[in-house]
Amino acid sequence: MELDAVNVTPHLGASTAEAQEKAGVAVAKSVRKALAGELVPDAVNVAGGAIHEDVRPGIPLAERLGRVVNSLANSSVTHFKVEVNGEIADKDVSVLKLSALKGLFKDVVSDQVSYVNAPLLAEERGIGVELVTDPYCESFRNVTRLTATTSEGQRISVSGTVTGPKLVQKLTEVNDFDLEIELTDNLLIFRYEDRPGIIGQLGQALGANDINIAGMQVSPSATDNDALSVLAVDSAVSEEVVKAVAGAVNASAFSGVSLSED
């Protein structure tokens, strides 16, 4: 059949000079991200697909929450659950599971942890991993909650959210204690019997070790006489000092969390 008004040409794809240049730049950017351990969403060996713009702010948050879980764990993790609640629950949030796993292993293994090998590391260690979503979220637009069980039977839970135009990361729960504090690079977490004078004792013990407190949140337990304090401090605190401060308030559980990339 011949049609005078139709011209048929072969498929050009990216064969023009301009298209090849754009494709080359895109590949170079993806390679740079991969070498830096960042997410390369168009990689064929990364689980998931296109990432919705509303989900993207939760990616670094999930990784940092995974690192908090690792800091609180007293032994190896055997089960790991990622819960995403709120407005993004109806989107594809599988990348948040990858990011949380990446954070869980970041400070454990010597090799670089990526979005590609994080699920493999979990599989090799026999860690059961699950992702749960729920559009209902009581206090925030979105909350990501990580729950882990260790080989010694310890249960750990941490939750976080991203708020405001500056996308500030906040810690909103630790082991069922509700709170709201910025998820800074250096945190101290203490659980102790709730009684008068504890805040002063914490400040005195940290001051004696030249540790400056940048922020603090205290959360009383809803079920017993315990309280949980989370302190944001200006610099990393040695394990020895953390133990000394915990001893000053007779803490039943404590941890120093360092999320610095250095």
Side-chain angles (χ1 to χ4, degrees), residues 2 4 69 73 78 84 88 105 171 175 177 206-207 228 258:
E2 294 184 359
D4 294 337
V69 169
T78 58
V84 180
I88 62 172
F105 295 122
L171 190 64
N175 290 336
F177 287 87
L206 289 169
L228 186 91
S258 177

Side-chain angles (χ1 to χ4, degrees), residues 21-231:
E21 181 180 357
K22 289 182 179 180
V25 170
V27 170
K29 288 180 177 179
S30 294
V31 170
R32 185 172 65 179
K33 286 183 177 180
L35 292 175
E38 299 177 16
L39 177 65
V40 184
D42 52 354
V44 296
N45 56 350
V46 173
I51 302 170
H52 194 279
E53 60 180 7
D54 292 341
V55 177
R56 289 184 179 276
I59 296 174
L61 170 70
E63 180 174 338
R64 288 167 74 85
L65 290 176
R67 296 180 70 184
V68 175
V69 169
N70 177 64
S71 296
L72 296 174
N74 59 13
S75 56
S76 58
V77 172
T78 58
H79 189 268
F80 192 61
K81 180 166 71 172
V82 180
E83 298 176 77
V84 180
N85 300 321
E87 297 175 358
I88 62 172
D90 62 345
K91 310 289 192 301
D92 182 358
V93 294
S94 56
V95 67
L96 300 186
K97 181 179 71 173
L98 295 178
S99 188
L101 282 172
K102 183 172 180 282
L104 181 68
F105 295 122
K106 184 178 180 68
D107 303 311
V108 175
V109 301
S110 56
D111 295 334
Q112 186 180 62
V113 183
S114 69
Y115 296 91
V116 175
N117 66 7
L120 300 177
L121 291 171
E123 184 178 354
E124 290 172 356
R125 287 161 172 76
I127 301 175
V129 182
E130 60 177 313
L131 174 64
V132 178
T133 60
D134 188 341
Y136 175 74
C137 189
E138 182 177 3
S139 302
F140 302 94
R141 293 180 63 183
N142 298 289
V143 167
T144 298
R145 187 172 197 246
L146 310 183
T147 307
T149 305
T150 71
S151 58
E152 295 184 0
Q154 179 191 18
R155 177 188 172 277
I156 305 162
S157 67
V158 298
S159 302
T161 190
V162 179
T163 63
K166 293 186 178 180
L167 302 177
V168 176
Q169 298 176 2
K170 291 186 176 180
L171 190 64
T172 59
E173 175 261 339
V174 175
N175 290 336
D176 299 323
F177 287 87
D178 292 328
L179 47 92
E180 186 177 342
I181 188 171
E182 187 174 348
L183 189 56
T184 58
D185 283 351
N186 299 291
L187 299 173
L188 300 176
I189 302 174
F190 301 100
R191 179 171 181 165
Y192 49 83
E193 181 184 356
D194 196 8
R195 59 191 186 277
I198 292 293
I199 294 177
Q201 291 174 357
L202 285 170
Q204 184 176 16
L206 289 169
N209 288 278
D210 295 324
I211 304 299
N212 187 56
I213 301 173
M216 182 177 183
Q217 178 82 57
V218 179
S219 176
S221 173
T223 58
D224 55 32
N225 197 39
D226 278 2
L228 186 91
S229 285
V230 178
L231 300 94

